[in-house]
Amino acid sequence: CPLFISSEVGWRKPREEFYRSIEAELSLPASRLLMVGDDLVNDYQGATQAGWQAIFLHRRDRGKAATAVDGEAVVEPRVDALEQTLALLEL
C-alpha cells in the first residue's frame, strides 16, 4: 500500500494539487480513492472537495474536538480509532 507524504508529493493538503498528483501516480479517478485522516480541514474537507471519499478519524485523546463542518453538520462517516475503518468499509 503506497504512502503519500505531502512534503514528498510537493503539495500540502488541502491543496487540490496534492490529491490530483496522487490520482496521477495511482492512475485512479478521485471517485475510487479514500482518505482516512484526523485533520478536519486538511484531510476530510480537502479530500471531499477533490471528489474523494473520506472518513474522519476523530482522535479524542489528541484534543481533536472538531466534530462539525461549518459548525452545523456532523462529520460522517467518522471513526474513533483507525482499527474501526475496516469494519466501516465492511471488509
Side-chain angles (χ1 to χ4, degrees):
C1 182
L3 179 64
F4 296 97
I5 302 167
S6 61
S7 62
E8 294 175 9
V9 170
W11 301 98
R12 297 186 66 81
K13 296 177 288 180
R15 295 279 306 259
E16 186 174 331
E17 292 89 348
F18 173 82
Y19 298 96
R20 298 297 171 240
S21 65
I22 294 170
E23 293 166 21
E25 178 78 21
L26 296 174
S27 298
L28 290 171
S31 62
R32 300 268 327 264
L33 297 169
L34 170 70
M35 164 65 82
V36 179
D38 65 354
D39 188 293
L40 184 64
V41 174
N42 293 324
D43 298 329
Y44 186 86
Q45 290 179 339
T48 57
Q49 289 173 357
W52 290 34
Q53 300 172 65
I55 296 174
F56 181 58
L57 177 58
H58 182 250
R59 296 183 189 252
R60 295 179 195 171
D61 60 332
R62 287 188 157 176
K64 297 271 186 181
T67 58
V69 176
D70 299 328
E72 298 285 329
V74 174
V75 175
E76 292 292 343
R78 179 180 86 194
V79 295
D80 294 321
L82 193 55
E83 295 81 17
Q84 295 172 329
T85 304
L86 294 177
L88 185 63
L89 297 174
E90 298 180 345
L91 295 177

